[in-house]
Amino acid sequence: MSDRSDKFAGEDPFEIARTWLSAAEDSEINDPNAMALSTVDSTGMPNVRMVLLKDIEPDGFVFYTNYGSAKGQEIDASGKAALVLHWKSLRRQIRVRGTVERVAGEKADAYFASRSLKSRLGAWASDQSKPLSSRTALVAEVAKVTARHGNAPKRPAFWGGYKVTPIEIEFWADGAFRLHDRFQWRRDSDGAGWKIQRLNP
Protein backbone atom coordinates (compact mmCIF):
# COMPACT_ATOMS: atom_id res chain seq x y z
CA MET A 1 0.00 0.00 0.00
CA SER A 2 1.40 3.40 -0.96
CA ASP A 3 2.28 5.90 1.73
CA ARG A 4 1.85 8.81 -0.68
CA SER A 5 -0.35 11.68 0.51
CA ASP A 6 -3.17 13.18 -1.55
CA LYS A 7 -0.89 15.74 -3.18
CA PHE A 8 1.08 12.88 -4.77
CA ALA A 9 -1.97 10.73 -5.56
CA GLY A 10 -2.26 9.01 -8.91
CA GLU A 11 -0.16 6.90 -11.26
CA ASP A 12 0.21 9.55 -14.01
CA PRO A 13 2.99 12.04 -13.20
CA PHE A 14 1.86 14.43 -15.93
CA GLU A 15 -1.57 14.71 -14.34
CA ILE A 16 0.04 15.37 -10.94
CA ALA A 17 2.22 18.05 -12.55
CA ARG A 18 -0.83 19.71 -14.12
CA THR A 19 -2.60 19.66 -10.74
CA TRP A 20 0.40 21.26 -9.01
CA LEU A 21 0.71 23.91 -11.74
CA SER A 22 -2.99 24.71 -11.43
CA ALA A 23 -2.57 25.19 -7.67
CA ALA A 24 0.42 27.45 -8.29
CA GLU A 25 -1.63 29.61 -10.65
CA ASP A 26 -3.83 30.48 -7.66
CA SER A 27 -0.96 31.32 -5.31
CA GLU A 28 2.11 32.55 -7.20
CA ILE A 29 2.22 36.30 -7.79
CA ASN A 30 4.17 36.22 -11.06
CA ASP A 31 4.76 33.56 -13.72
CA PRO A 32 3.66 30.34 -11.98
CA ASN A 33 4.82 28.56 -15.14
CA ALA A 34 8.42 29.83 -14.86
CA MET A 35 10.99 27.04 -14.89
CA ALA A 36 14.76 26.71 -14.80
CA LEU A 37 15.96 24.93 -17.94
CA SER A 38 19.38 23.26 -17.92
CA THR A 39 21.41 22.22 -20.97
CA VAL A 40 25.09 21.52 -21.68
CA ASP A 41 27.38 22.91 -24.37
CA SER A 42 29.77 20.95 -26.59
CA THR A 43 32.39 20.79 -23.83
CA GLY A 44 29.94 19.52 -21.24
CA MET A 45 29.76 22.88 -19.45
CA PRO A 46 26.22 23.33 -18.06
CA ASN A 47 23.94 26.28 -18.78
CA VAL A 48 20.76 27.19 -16.92
CA ARG A 49 18.17 29.92 -17.52
CA MET A 50 14.55 30.73 -16.72
CA VAL A 51 11.95 30.08 -19.42
CA LEU A 52 8.17 29.77 -19.41
CA LEU A 53 6.47 26.39 -19.56
CA LYS A 54 3.64 26.62 -22.08
CA ASP A 55 2.02 23.20 -21.92
CA ILE A 56 2.10 19.90 -20.07
CA GLU A 57 1.12 17.37 -22.70
CA PRO A 58 0.22 13.74 -21.95
CA ASP A 59 3.87 12.81 -22.51
CA GLY A 60 6.00 15.92 -22.05
CA PHE A 61 6.69 19.51 -21.05
CA VAL A 62 6.63 22.16 -23.82
CA PHE A 63 8.28 25.57 -24.12
CA TYR A 64 9.07 27.88 -27.05
CA THR A 65 12.20 29.75 -28.06
CA ASN A 66 14.54 30.79 -30.87
CA TYR A 67 16.15 27.65 -32.33
CA GLY A 68 19.37 29.59 -32.90
CA SER A 69 19.69 30.63 -29.25
CA ALA A 70 22.31 29.06 -27.00
CA LYS A 71 19.72 26.75 -25.45
CA GLY A 72 18.35 25.81 -28.85
CA GLN A 73 21.77 24.93 -30.22
CA GLU A 74 22.69 22.97 -27.10
CA ILE A 75 19.42 21.05 -27.12
CA ASP A 76 19.72 20.24 -30.83
CA ALA A 77 23.27 18.97 -30.29
CA SER A 78 22.61 16.79 -27.24
CA GLY A 79 18.91 15.96 -27.52
CA LYS A 80 18.64 16.18 -23.72
CA ALA A 81 17.68 18.70 -21.05
CA ALA A 82 16.59 19.05 -17.43
CA LEU A 83 14.14 21.48 -15.86
CA VAL A 84 12.87 22.56 -12.45
CA LEU A 85 9.54 24.15 -11.54
CA HIS A 86 9.68 25.69 -8.06
CA TRP A 87 6.79 27.31 -6.23
CA LYS A 88 7.85 29.14 -3.09
CA SER A 89 4.27 29.89 -2.03
CA LEU A 90 3.36 26.19 -2.12
CA ARG A 91 6.76 24.94 -0.94
CA ARG A 92 6.84 22.47 -3.80
CA GLN A 93 9.01 21.70 -6.79
CA ILE A 94 9.12 19.35 -9.76
CA ARG A 95 12.38 18.16 -11.32
CA VAL A 96 12.46 16.64 -14.82
CA ARG A 97 15.19 15.02 -16.91
CA GLY A 98 14.69 13.66 -20.37
CA THR A 99 15.07 13.75 -24.12
CA VAL A 100 14.01 16.70 -26.25
CA GLU A 101 12.44 17.11 -29.68
CA ARG A 102 11.26 20.11 -31.63
CA VAL A 103 7.63 21.19 -31.74
CA ALA A 104 7.00 22.77 -35.13
CA GLY A 105 4.24 22.89 -37.71
CA GLU A 106 0.66 23.83 -36.91
CA LYS A 107 1.04 23.61 -33.14
CA ALA A 108 3.95 26.08 -33.10
CA ASP A 109 2.15 28.31 -35.61
CA ALA A 110 -0.94 28.42 -33.40
CA TYR A 111 1.02 29.31 -30.27
CA PHE A 112 3.01 32.00 -32.09
CA ALA A 113 -0.22 33.54 -33.40
CA SER A 114 -1.61 33.66 -29.84
CA ARG A 115 1.24 35.87 -28.62
CA SER A 116 0.98 39.65 -28.50
CA LEU A 117 1.98 41.50 -31.67
CA LYS A 118 4.98 43.09 -29.95
CA SER A 119 6.21 39.68 -28.79
CA ARG A 120 5.88 38.28 -32.31
CA LEU A 121 7.77 41.20 -33.82
CA GLY A 122 10.39 40.91 -31.08
CA ALA A 123 10.92 37.26 -31.99
CA TRP A 124 11.67 38.32 -35.58
CA ALA A 125 13.98 41.15 -34.50
CA SER A 126 16.10 39.39 -31.90
CA ASP A 127 19.06 37.28 -32.99
CA GLN A 128 18.83 35.62 -29.59
CA SER A 129 22.04 34.97 -27.64
CA LYS A 130 24.19 36.75 -30.25
CA PRO A 131 26.18 39.94 -29.44
CA LEU A 132 24.20 43.20 -29.70
CA SER A 133 25.87 46.58 -30.26
CA SER A 134 23.21 48.59 -28.41
CA ARG A 135 19.56 48.69 -27.40
CA THR A 136 19.09 51.37 -30.06
CA ALA A 137 20.15 48.84 -32.69
CA LEU A 138 17.58 46.36 -31.40
CA VAL A 139 14.79 48.96 -31.44
CA ALA A 140 15.79 49.88 -35.00
CA GLU A 141 15.57 46.21 -36.01
CA VAL A 142 12.08 45.99 -34.49
CA ALA A 143 11.07 48.97 -36.64
CA LYS A 144 12.45 47.23 -39.74
CA VAL A 145 10.62 43.96 -39.15
CA THR A 146 7.43 45.86 -38.32
CA ALA A 147 7.61 47.59 -41.70
CA ARG A 148 8.38 44.28 -43.40
CA HIS A 149 5.82 42.01 -41.68
CA GLY A 150 3.08 44.42 -40.62
CA ASN A 151 0.42 43.49 -38.06
CA ALA A 152 0.26 39.77 -38.86
CA PRO A 153 3.78 38.35 -38.80
CA LYS A 154 3.97 34.61 -39.38
CA ARG A 155 6.12 32.37 -37.23
CA PRO A 156 9.76 32.56 -38.32
CA ALA A 157 11.37 29.30 -39.36
CA PHE A 158 14.03 29.82 -36.67
CA TRP A 159 11.45 29.97 -33.84
CA GLY A 160 9.38 27.18 -32.36
CA GLY A 161 8.87 24.78 -29.50
CA TYR A 162 10.68 22.02 -27.71
CA LYS A 163 9.11 19.13 -25.82
CA VAL A 164 11.00 17.51 -22.96
CA THR A 165 9.93 13.86 -22.72
CA PRO A 166 10.97 12.66 -19.27
CA ILE A 167 12.74 9.52 -18.23
CA GLU A 168 12.65 10.89 -14.69
CA ILE A 169 10.24 13.16 -12.80
CA GLU A 170 10.65 14.00 -9.13
CA PHE A 171 8.00 15.67 -6.97
CA TRP A 172 9.19 17.42 -3.81
CA ALA A 173 7.03 18.91 -1.06
CA ASP A 174 8.23 20.69 2.06
CA GLY A 175 7.97 18.76 5.32
CA ALA A 176 8.26 19.70 8.98
CA PHE A 177 11.78 19.64 10.45
CA ARG A 178 13.18 19.31 6.92
CA LEU A 179 11.68 15.83 6.59
CA HIS A 180 10.51 16.62 3.07
CA ASP A 181 8.44 14.31 0.87
CA ARG A 182 10.16 13.24 -2.35
CA PHE A 183 8.73 10.80 -4.88
CA GLN A 184 10.50 9.82 -8.08
CA TRP A 185 8.86 8.46 -11.23
CA ARG A 186 11.53 6.80 -13.37
CA ARG A 187 11.51 4.71 -16.56
CA ASP A 188 14.15 3.33 -18.90
CA SER A 189 12.76 4.94 -22.06
CA ASP A 190 9.82 6.88 -23.49
CA GLY A 191 6.74 4.68 -23.41
CA ALA A 192 8.13 2.29 -20.80
CA GLY A 193 6.35 1.78 -17.49
CA TRP A 194 7.11 4.02 -14.55
CA LYS A 195 8.87 2.84 -11.40
CA ILE A 196 7.74 4.96 -8.43
CA GLN A 197 9.81 5.26 -5.29
CA ARG A 198 10.08 7.48 -2.24
CA LEU A 199 13.46 9.18 -1.76
CA ASN A 200 15.14 10.36 1.39
CA PRO A 201 14.83 14.12 1.90
Side-chain angles (χ1 to χ4, degrees):
M1 183 175 180
S2 173
D3 69 340
R4 285 185 275 148
S5 64
D6 289 344
K7 60 180 168 282
F8 297 97
E11 301 305 312
D12 180 355
F14 301 102
E15 184 59 36
I16 297 172
R18 281 189 287 271
T19 298
W20 281 28
L21 177 59
S22 179
E25 289 169 348
D26 295 331
S27 62
E28 292 292 307
I29 296 174
N30 293 308
D31 297 328
N33 60 331
M35 65 183 191
L37 175 73
S38 179
T39 57
V40 295
D41 67 15
S42 60
T43 69
M45 181 66 73
N47 251 329
V48 65
R49 77 287 285 163
M50 301 303 296
V51 300
L52 296 179
L53 174 69
K54 289 302 178 182
D55 194 16
I56 302 177
E57 296 188 345
D59 60 347
F61 297 78
V62 178
F63 66 95
Y64 290 83
T65 191
N66 186 312
Y67 290 141
S69 65
K71 58 184 171 296
Q73 292 184 54
E74 290 168 3
I75 286 171
D76 288 341
S78 72
K80 300 174 184 176
L83 62 90
V84 178
L85 289 151
H86 174 252
W87 300 293
K88 190 172 182 178
S89 63
L90 294 176
R91 299 180 182 274
R92 295 179 185 175
Q93 73 175 18
I94 301 174
R95 297 174 60 225
V96 174
R97 297 196 303 160
T99 58
V100 190
E101 62 183 359
R102 287 189 180 189
V103 176
E106 293 181 0
K107 186 176 293 184
D109 290 341
Y111 173 67
F112 188 78
S114 75
R115 305 177 86 212
S116 71
L117 175 59
K118 288 184 178 180
S119 293
R120 284 177 282 158
L121 292 171
W124 272 102
S126 176
D127 195 3
Q128 197 173 102
S129 301
K130 305 301 188 299
L132 178 65
S133 60
S134 67
R135 184 167 184 83
T136 300
L138 179 60
V139 172
E141 187 61 28
V142 171
K144 289 179 183 177
V145 299
T146 300
R148 187 181 311 130
H149 297 286
N151 292 325
K154 294 183 178 180
R155 178 179 64 89
F158 57 77
W159 191 98
Y162 286 103
K163 179 171 70 174
V164 181
T165 301
I167 59 165
E168 184 178 301
I169 306 177
E170 181 189 313
F171 296 89
W172 177 100
D174 182 68
F177 309 109
R178 301 193 67 78
L179 299 180
H180 312 307
D181 287 314
R182 293 175 65 189
F183 285 93
Q184 181 191 76
W185 271 250
R186 184 170 177 80
R187 58 187 177 181
D188 293 330
S189 61
D190 178 23
W194 292 103
K195 177 183 177 182
I196 308 170
Q197 59 184 354
R198 177 186 277 273
L199 303 179
N200 273 283

